[in-house]
Amino acid sequence: MSEESAMLAEQDLKLADALQAAPRASWSTLGDALGLSAVTVARRWDALVERGDAWLTAYAGGEVVSRLVLAFVAVDCEPGAVLSVADALASDVHVATVEQVAGPCDLLAHVVAPSLRELGAHVAGRVAAVPGVTRVRTTVSPRMFTEGSRWRVRAISPGQREALSAKPARRRAPLRFDAADRALILALGADARASAAALAESLGLGATTVRRRLEGLLGRGAIRVRCEIARSASPAPVTVTLWLRVPPDKLETTARSLAVVPEVRMCAALTGAENLMLVLWLPSPHDVLAVEARLAAKLPWLEITGRAVTLRTVKLMGRLLDSAGRGAGRVPLDFWATVPVPEHGDRSVHRSGE
């Protein structure tokens, strides 16, 4: 079946778009926005999830994730070992995303840890130690300008999206993040639409406490919930990663301009020779040329230094995917899990190939 013929039906695309705008809205609210009954909307969504064509993901964001360390790790593999290495990395709770790419490396992994020290220990002791890995190259991202939770299918009207979108949260006191909040994020990762009462029961906490914490975390973006579509069923099934170099004094304005380009899925700052990484979702590989031409005309100081086309996404923000990009399982995104850090002088984990 071709990518085009596999695309979701229009009503299903509209439902996914509505859930991107309001992932925890009631079925009746979503139905009112789409002109459907609550029962029809719920039934359609259940069918999409059952087929693996769409799913909801919840994970740390905003102030919470700013306290963590994100790195993009380029991995080279022995001949024939790419998929076995990808599967091993996909089982790792610190690895959010794993892609097999055609480009400067075999695999590109997004790795998150509580600190730089723990990130280094994890890359050396876990990522580089996977059988079949021959080399790893790590680039830290100090800032995420835009990421997947902001990407939209654009199947519903601006009026429908506005009616569903949450109002901006009021400024609040600094966030106090503790073990209960971590447990709440992990529970939402298992069921992003779970009610406060259901979450309270599963966590052994009071319903009022869970409701207050949940509203606070969601309201300030400390928990991100997003609706994903399988790439084979998406109107933009092709992923292209670009590495960019821009003058440091133009980094902020450039990133903000890139973040509003419809094809941009992610824009992140880097601490390397290239200082920006851009992820595009496109209808076909050929569309990257037109997008690059538009970017060059709009931002003439921008230099594209590297490109990679995703051949297969093995894991996307904790969701395990099959060869067609459909949801096939889940690994909790427990970025706070303990990372063993070797004592000074212990070189048993220092197998990085760098």
Side-chain angles (χ1 to χ4, degrees):
M1 182 179 291
S2 70
E3 288 176 336
E4 183 177 0
S5 64
M7 190 185 302
L8 294 183
E10 183 179 358
Q11 283 290 355
D12 289 332
L13 286 173
K14 288 182 176 180
L15 173 55
D17 198 359
L19 280 163
Q20 288 177 336
R24 287 179 53 83
S26 68
W27 295 126
S28 58
T29 298
L30 293 164
D32 289 343
L34 298 174
L36 300 170
S37 70
V39 172
T40 298
V41 171
R43 186 176 67 246
R44 279 183 172 273
W45 177 248
D46 288 343
L48 288 172
V49 173
E50 179 67 24
R51 296 196 303 268
D53 283 338
W55 58 89
L56 290 171
T57 302
Y59 54 94
E63 298 165 76
V64 175
V65 80
S66 68
R67 304 175 187 183
L68 302 170
V69 180
L70 165 67
F72 300 106
V73 182
V75 180
D76 291 332
C77 305
E78 295 173 354
V82 171
L83 290 182
S84 64
V85 171
D87 288 341
L89 294 177
S91 68
D92 190 330
V93 298
H94 288 279
V95 176
T97 295
V98 182
E99 296 175 300
Q100 179 191 4
V101 300
C105 57
D106 293 319
L107 297 170
L108 186 61
H110 303 191
V111 182
V112 186
S115 69
L116 278 171
R117 186 168 181 243
E118 289 168 290
L119 173 71
H122 197 72
V123 171
R126 173 75 174 97
V127 177
V130 172
V133 171
T134 59
R135 187 185 183 202
V136 299
R137 300 174 299 287
T138 305
T139 305
V140 172
S141 174
R143 182 175 176 186
M144 184 70 68
F145 290 99
T146 190
E147 46 85 41
S149 65
R150 298 183 182 180
W151 185 83
R152 297 290 180 262
V153 179
R154 300 178 186 272
I156 60 177
S157 69
Q160 288 172 305
R161 187 173 296 108
E162 175 66 23
L164 287 167
S165 298
K167 302 299 182 286
R170 295 176 297 174
R171 185 176 294 276
R172 297 179 174 88
L175 178 69
R176 293 187 298 173
F177 186 77
D178 59 22
D181 295 313
R182 171 186 173 184
L184 184 54
I185 290 178
L186 292 174
L188 272 179
D191 183 359
R193 286 181 57 84
S195 66
L199 291 167
E201 183 177 355
S202 67
L203 296 174
L205 299 172
T208 301
T209 298
V210 168
R211 186 173 293 105
R212 174 172 45 81
R213 284 179 179 259
L214 184 60
E215 289 175 355
L217 291 168
L218 289 170
R220 64 198 304 158
I223 298 178
R224 299 274 168 81
V225 183
R226 74 190 194 199
C227 176
E228 299 281 12
I229 300 176
R231 306 315 309 285
S232 58
S234 168
V238 176
T239 300
V240 175
T241 301
L242 302 178
W243 285 268
L244 315 174
R245 186 180 294 133
V246 302
D249 62 334
K250 293 184 182 292
L251 181 67
E252 182 81 23
T253 55
T254 301
R256 291 186 182 278
S257 296
L258 293 171
V260 298
V261 174
E263 295 88 351
V264 169
R265 166 80 172 187
M266 187 189 78
C267 180
L270 302 176
T271 57
E274 293 78 22
N275 51 4
L276 276 179
M277 190 171 94
L278 203 64
V279 175
L280 307 173
W281 278 18
L282 305 169
S284 79
H286 309 291
D287 291 297
V288 69
L289 301 177
V291 173
E292 287 187 14
R294 280 169 31 214
L295 296 181
K298 183 179 181 181
L299 306 166
W301 56 84
L302 181 154
E303 178 187 359
I304 299 173
T305 62
R307 302 166 177 81
V309 177
T310 297
L311 302 175
R312 176 178 175 183
T313 301
V314 178
K315 184 182 185 183
L316 179 63
M317 286 308 294
R319 183 70 55 164
L320 301 175
L321 308 179
D322 66 15
S323 59
R326 293 185 172 87
R330 187 183 68 86
V331 174
L333 294 178
D334 191 0
F335 302 140
W336 306 271
T338 301
V339 176
V341 177
E343 296 296 326
H344 181 67
D346 179 2
R347 301 183 181 276
S348 61
V349 299
H350 294 177
R351 178 193 167 203
S352 67
E354 293 185 313

